[in-house]
Amino acid sequence: MTTSTAPTPRIAVVGAGPGGLTCARILQRHGIAVTVYDHDRGPDARDQGGTLDLHQDNGQLALREAGLLDDFFRLARAEGQEMRQLDARTGEIGFHHVPGDGERSKPEIDRGHLRDLLLRSLAPDTVRWGRTLHSVQGPAGGPRRLHFTDGSTVEADLVIGADGAWSKVRRALSPATPRYTGVSFLEAWFHDVERRHPELAALVGPGSAAAADGARALFAQRNSGDHVRVYAIQRVPADWIARAGHTAQDTDALRALLLDRYRRWAPGLRRLLTDNDGPYVDRPIHALPVPHTWTPDPAVTLLGDAAHLMPPLGVGVNLAMLDACELALAIAGHDTLADAVRAYEETMLPRSADTQRLLDGAADGLLSDEPHHGEPEPSELSASPEPSGVR
């Protein structure tokens, strides 16, 4: 690949999540230099979230192109594909999917394990930790200058925004901001479940379990290391906790509030609301306008949630990794960065718009008590724990 702006193009990826790291890995496999900037102080700075199911037709395709698919299967949990749908009033199993022997259509992997796999695959010093982006400046067409909150700057011929729901890179292309969907998740953690919470372990099994009554829902998800995450899903104002006079740290008060709201539910399911280890985490669900598009800029582009934030319904990380794969291959296969960005966006934007339309308002479907075989992907929420996006 050649470029009119520099003999060796300076490519900056903002965000060291699965999408940004996948893009960097595939670029490096094609001999293209890239630097990744991330606001975390290091790879272990915070919890990376729950478990992800990577699908054959997107996430796994990206890992194959990254040369990491076999490593992924060694880490992934095929048994995590099991899914139980429970009756909210009785706790009895209605729908039950048990994966067959050798089924690998969407095995589960902890988000942190996936990130570590990708990080280990990169050349040393690819990721620059502790670099919080403030803004992207410079002329349309580039080069662009990244301004970080520590006062430092970096010039790049292509800036790739892989910085999630509250993307700072997005502001260089689009005025769009995520909007609250009207549905909120309240996350609870359970540790050492086989010993300390055996009833919960038996209820959830090796995969996931869900229940809903039309107005509220619960989704429980087995993680590795004998952990379970549970999400109480409600249609409420975004500030519902503050309106009730509490904060997310008021664990006992929130438990009492949840028990009242779920008072007609089966006792075994209500324990998912009360026996958690530690405080709850408030996660209101946001989405970008449908469709989200922008005027093409050969020096800036977006992937994943930065480009097409949707409700957490099992597509977020998969689409981010597919975006990353296609962008990296476009850069490797075109003569200029402008041609590469154009080719990538001509494929990515229509695909994401179609998926956005399909999932627009679909967060409400998580509350439906009608039988369904779909599965939310609440671990998408944990990738961006600060809803304000002001960093």
Side-chain angles (χ1 to χ4, degrees), residues 1-356:
M1 184 196 68
T2 60
T3 175
S4 60
T5 55
T8 301
R10 299 162 295 181
I11 300 176
V13 174
V14 180
L21 296 178
T22 298
C23 187
R25 164 65 177 177
I26 297 174
L27 286 173
Q28 289 184 349
R29 290 196 88 204
H30 287 266
I32 299 171
V34 59
T35 303
V36 180
Y37 300 92
D38 195 88
H39 59 75
D40 282 349
R41 292 186 176 276
D44 302 317
R46 60 184 172 90
D47 176 73
Q48 289 301 305
T51 182
L52 307 164
D53 56 338
L54 294 191
H55 303 174
Q56 286 180 327
D57 55 354
N58 36 52
Q60 291 184 36
L61 287 179
L63 286 176
R64 179 180 291 110
E65 198 64 45
L68 299 173
L69 189 59
D70 290 340
D71 293 324
F72 162 72
F73 283 129
R74 283 191 285 270
L75 293 170
R77 304 187 311 279
E79 69 278 8
Q81 298 171 104
E82 181 173 334
M83 177 65 190
R84 303 174 180 186
Q85 192 165 343
L86 311 174
D87 185 281
R89 298 294 180 90
T90 66
E92 296 177 353
I93 296 177
F95 169 75
H96 190 186
H97 170 71
V98 179
D101 292 341
E103 181 177 333
R104 301 201 295 187
S105 60
K106 51 177 185 176
E108 298 280 341
I109 185 171
D110 281 21
R111 187 185 183 95
H113 292 169
L114 175 62
R115 191 194 204 196
D116 289 344
L117 171 65
L118 290 163
L119 283 171
R120 290 194 301 268
S121 75
L122 298 176
D125 300 320
T126 297
V127 181
R128 309 294 168 83
W129 299 104
R131 306 296 292 276
T132 301
L133 184 68
H134 177 268
S135 62
V136 177
Q137 304 294 332
R144 292 298 192 117
R145 185 169 291 274
L146 285 72
H147 293 257
F148 297 96
T149 57
D150 62 4
S152 63
T153 61
V154 171
E155 194 167 78
D157 299 299
L158 176 60
V159 180
I160 299 171
D163 48 342
W166 306 99
S167 171
K168 298 292 180 61
V169 178
R170 185 195 299 130
R171 300 177 188 177
L173 292 173
S174 164
T177 57
R179 301 175 299 191
Y180 180 54
T181 63
V183 174
S184 188
F185 286 39
L186 192 67
E187 179 179 336
W189 298 357
F190 297 77
H191 308 304
D192 193 12
V193 294
E194 295 293 344
R195 183 179 65 85
R196 298 185 57 208
H197 306 283
E199 297 87 354
L200 170 62
L203 179 73
V204 176
S208 302
D213 66 4
R216 58 199 62 80
L218 287 173
F219 180 80
Q221 181 185 62
R222 177 78 71 146
N223 291 200
S224 65
D226 206 22
H227 301 292
V228 166
R229 293 177 191 246
V230 173
Y231 303 84
I233 307 171
Q234 305 174 81
R235 189 182 296 107
V236 288
D239 60 348
W240 69 277
I241 294 178
R243 292 191 184 195
H246 307 305
T247 72
Q249 300 300 311
D250 296 336
T251 304
D252 290 341
L254 287 180
R255 281 175 174 159
L257 187 61
L258 290 171
L259 282 173
D260 179 62
R261 295 187 176 192
Y262 288 77
R263 59 186 175 276
R264 293 187 176 88
W265 282 49
L269 293 175
R270 280 157 54 90
R271 295 185 66 172
L272 301 180
L273 302 167
T274 61
D275 293 5
N276 49 304
D277 302 317
Y280 301 99
V281 182
D282 184 29
R283 301 202 183 280
I285 306 304
H286 293 77
L288 280 168
V290 182
H292 177 229
T293 60
W294 54 85
T295 301
D297 184 324
V300 184
T301 193
L302 306 173
L303 63 81
D305 284 352
H308 44 67
L309 178 66
M310 307 176 205
L313 291 162
V315 298
V317 164
N318 283 284
L319 285 185
M321 294 175 70
L322 182 61
D323 291 349
C325 174
E326 292 180 346
L327 175 56
L329 293 178
I331 293 170
H334 286 80
D335 290 335
T336 68
L337 291 174
D339 289 342
V341 170
R342 184 181 306 110
Y344 160 67
E345 291 182 352
E346 284 177 354
T347 298
M348 181 275 291
L349 287 172
R351 176 180 63 227
S352 61
D354 288 344
T355 309
Q356 282 183 294

